[in-house]
Amino acid sequence: MIKWLFVNRSIRTKIVWSSVLISLIPMLVLSFLFYESSTRSLERTMYKSTDQNAEYLSGFLNQYFRDISSSALQVYGFSRILNFMEHGGNVTDDDFKVGGELKNYYLLVTNKNKDAIIKIMVFGKDNELRDYWSRAASYDSIPFNQSIPHFGDMLDLPFQHSLSFTYSDDILSQDFFVYAITIYEPFYHRKIGSLVFYIQKKELKKIIEANNREPNVITLQNSGGETFYETNDKYANIVPGYALPDSKAKNNPKLIRFVKDKDLLVGTSYLDNGNLSLSIVYPNDELSRHRTNTLRITIGAFLFAMACISLLSLLAQQYLTRPIQQLGQAMKKVRHGNFHVTLEQPNRYRDDISELTRNFNFMTEKIRELIEMRYQMQLRNKEAQLLALQMQINPHFLYNTLQTIGGKAVLGGDYDIHEMCRALGDMFRYSFYEGNMESTIGQELAHISNYLYIQQFRFEDSLQTEFDVPAELMDAPVIRFVMQPIIENVVVHALGGPEERQLLIRVQATADNDTLVLSVRDNGPGIDAAKLAALRNGLETRSSEVFAGISIGLKNVHERLRLVYGESYGLELDSGSGAGTTIRIRIPYRKGGEEHA
């Protein structure tokens, strides 16, 4: 048995079972001692209930339902509400001012009944819901349909009749007491509407139990003979059914008539304000009854104590299992490749689990550092490969060849070929430059001008360019090849499709304190929101496989900028479907080799 309880169980289950088993034997001993002492005390003290007690309870409950009934009937004092119930309308209409009166009526009802009512539903003459009020938003979901008892007749009650019943709501998992009354015009008995009040059954039970004396058994029946509340059903076959009282009993609802039947005293009274009958069963064999009640109390106290112990064990184990569960979930994320997981842990904690959490955070931080080092090594290795590729091509041979082709073109009178060769030669010269990897804004603009000049021979008038760069920014330093991939990306995506359009590319540069921003704007088709979000996320997600696919592009430029200048610099994308695209290159502004102040 012990092995079955503990083997292959979670830590939470083991802690709870341990607490329950340790407390079980002491609680059984204490419960037995309590039962024995209580029954012996009851043997010495016999408790008798009298008809005065029953009359008092009848009067109290009659007053309770009188408060509910009078609260409902106070609607006659609000003429606009009566008109609203009978004819309908808009509660926000200033002409009727129904909303204010409804608010005052709800406040009057709730105050009069000591905040016991949790929901009020106002129905019109046509049984359509006109308005409702709920004490809490959770009670808005209480249904009013076929799932509720008496749904078909509770809105069409006879004049001066009400209907009370209880039911269990499956949606909220709560028991409710429902009081319904149909409002009539007092002189001609013309129906105006209906009111339905909801009260939690536990509140009704609390009121009844607070004014009841054990071992009385209380039963409440509505006008349909339905028992909607009873202390217990032990004497259900003895309680008389509901019967309309004679005029004397109706005028004096506190009149109690006791009948002796099988050693039981049964009293029935009529609660006129609720159309209810109250039955009280008082067993003469008090000792047996008290023993049973004591046994129930003992068992209930035992179960309650065990439930409290189990609940406290569950609450206590959270301080042990929750950090372990969080650690396990974090490890699962790490196993799936997410090394940016960090668990929060207050520094004041110095227990074993806190030490595990700190070690886990240290481990993920070290893993991130190793990945960053590997990423930078791959980037440096790629740069070395590019430099090696450059060294394999003899730039002087390319320059001389292009100059020869250009010279031949001049001799033939074709100056366009000469300019294309010159532009291409300048591009090769800029690309195969063996000096410093850093260039200037002016040199970058000259490089993309050569690129665009060649592209304009392909697209002719479909490609237009504008440059708006102040002269004082031309000497600002920037790493090489940050603009050509962006311009090339614009040309490919904006002019490479089947649609014929005139593309305008505008390049601007602005300086703000120590930051320089290069903007490339186009009037192309733009990027839809989903793809733009994916691009932005791709730029912010650093991957060790950045060179696995397309190595020269937006991501490559963004990663190189952040690697050289820091995390606060790089690319920013802004676009919309059909609204063109803007790409901003954010770099530090330095002048003359020093940061600009």
Side-chain angles (χ1 to χ4, degrees), residues 85-86 123-125 155 181-184 191-195:
M85 294 172 65
E86 186 173 6
F123 291 88
K125 182 179 180 180
L155 300 182
I181 186 171
T182 302
I183 305 300
Y184 288 84
K191 179 182 175 181
I192 296 176
S194 301
L195 295 173

Side-chain angles (χ1 to χ4, degrees), residues 382-418:
K382 191 64 179 182
E383 292 178 352
Q385 293 176 8
L386 290 175
L387 292 175
L389 181 62
Q390 293 174 5
M391 296 301 295
Q392 293 175 7
I393 303 175
N394 190 334
H396 297 290
F397 172 75
L398 293 176
Y399 304 153
N400 296 334
T401 301
L402 289 174
Q403 288 179 358
T404 301
I405 295 174
K408 289 289 185 180
V410 171
L411 293 176
D414 195 338
Y415 294 95
D416 289 338
I417 295 178
H418 174 266

Side-chain angles (χ1 to χ4, degrees), residues 142-151 165 167-171:
I142 297 177
F144 192 82
N145 49 36
Q146 298 291 344
S147 64
I148 299 178
H150 308 289
F151 171 75
F165 61 92
Y167 81 100
S168 179
D169 188 271
D170 295 331
I171 297 178

Side-chain angles (χ1 to χ4, degrees), residues 523-536:
N523 61 345
I527 307 172
D528 59 73
K531 186 174 181 181
L532 180 62
L535 287 174
R536 287 174 174 170

Side-chain angles (χ1 to χ4, degrees), residues 351-366:
D351 53 12
D352 296 337
I353 298 178
S354 300
E355 187 64 27
L356 286 175
T357 302
R358 282 189 288 271
N359 290 336
F360 174 81
N361 292 337
F362 177 78
M363 178 190 69
T364 55
E365 182 179 357
K366 287 299 182 182

Side-chain angles (χ1 to χ4, degrees), residues 157-395:
L157 300 173
F159 178 68
Q160 291 185 342
H161 279 71
S162 61
L163 179 62
S164 301
F165 61 92
T166 58
Y167 81 100
S168 179
D169 188 271
D170 295 331
I171 297 178
L172 297 179
S173 300
Q174 294 186 26
D175 296 331
F176 294 108
F177 168 70
V178 181
Y179 178 87
I181 186 171
T182 302
I183 305 300
Y184 288 84
E185 197 277 327
F187 297 101
Y188 300 99
H189 297 178
R190 184 181 71 253
K191 179 182 175 181
I192 296 176
S194 301
L195 295 173
V196 179
F197 295 165
Y198 284 83
I199 301 173
Q200 287 187 329
K201 185 179 179 181
K202 64 180 181 180
E203 295 295 331
L204 178 65
K205 179 180 179 181
K206 186 187 301 181
I207 293 174
I208 295 176
E209 296 297 334
N211 295 274
N212 182 38
R213 293 184 181 180
E214 294 289 343
N216 291 2
V217 176
I218 299 174
T219 301
L220 289 174
Q221 296 177 331
N222 57 25
S223 57
E226 176 186 5
T227 300
F228 65 90
Y229 179 83
E230 57 184 1
T231 306
N232 60 65
D233 58 354
K234 182 177 180 180
Y235 307 110
N237 58 336
I238 298 175
V239 176
Y242 176 88
L244 189 65
D246 55 23
S247 58
K248 181 178 179 181
K250 191 170 184 179
N251 294 331
N252 185 15
K254 297 181 182 179
L255 180 62
I256 308 298
R257 292 176 294 178
F258 286 89
V259 178
K260 186 173 183 179
D261 184 10
K262 297 181 179 179
D263 296 328
L264 297 175
L265 293 177
V266 181
T268 302
S269 61
Y270 179 74
L271 307 181
D272 59 340
N273 289 285
N275 288 339
L276 306 173
S277 67
L278 167 66
S279 298
I280 304 176
V281 180
Y282 184 81
N284 284 337
D285 190 6
E286 297 178 7
L287 182 59
S288 176
R289 176 63 175 170
H290 279 299
R291 283 179 175 175
T292 303
N293 288 339
T294 303
L295 179 61
R296 291 177 179 175
I297 292 173
T298 303
I299 295 175
F302 172 77
L303 296 177
F304 176 76
M306 296 304 297
C308 289
I309 293 172
S310 301
L311 180 60
L312 291 176
S313 299
L314 285 172
L315 295 177
Q317 56 81 28
Q318 291 184 0
Y319 291 98
L320 296 176
T321 60
R322 182 179 296 175
I324 295 177
Q325 291 175 349
Q326 293 175 349
L327 187 60
Q329 294 173 357
M331 288 182 175
K332 185 180 295 184
K333 293 179 180 179
V334 171
R335 186 177 63 187
H336 288 85
N338 183 5
F339 299 102
H340 293 273
V341 180
T342 302
L343 296 176
E344 296 183 1
Q345 182 65 44
N347 293 329
R348 65 178 181 274
Y349 292 170
R350 290 293 182 270
D351 53 12
D352 296 337
I353 298 178
S354 300
E355 187 64 27
L356 286 175
T357 302
R358 282 189 288 271
N359 290 336
F360 174 81
N361 292 337
F362 177 78
M363 178 190 69
T364 55
E365 182 179 357
K366 287 299 182 182
I367 292 176
R368 289 196 300 270
E369 291 178 358
L370 292 174
I371 293 176
E372 183 72 18
M373 291 175 60
R374 180 180 175 223
Y375 170 78
Q376 293 184 6
M377 290 177 64
Q378 284 187 341
L379 189 59
R380 298 301 183 189
N381 183 48
K382 191 64 179 182
E383 292 178 352
Q385 293 176 8
L386 290 175
L387 292 175
L389 181 62
Q390 293 174 5
M391 296 301 295
Q392 293 175 7
I393 303 175
N394 190 334

Side-chain angles (χ1 to χ4, degrees), residues 456-468:
Q456 282 177 333
F457 280 97
R458 174 187 175 188
F459 297 104
E460 298 180 348
D461 295 335
S462 297
L463 178 61
Q464 301 292 327
T465 60
E466 292 182 5
F467 292 89
D468 183 12

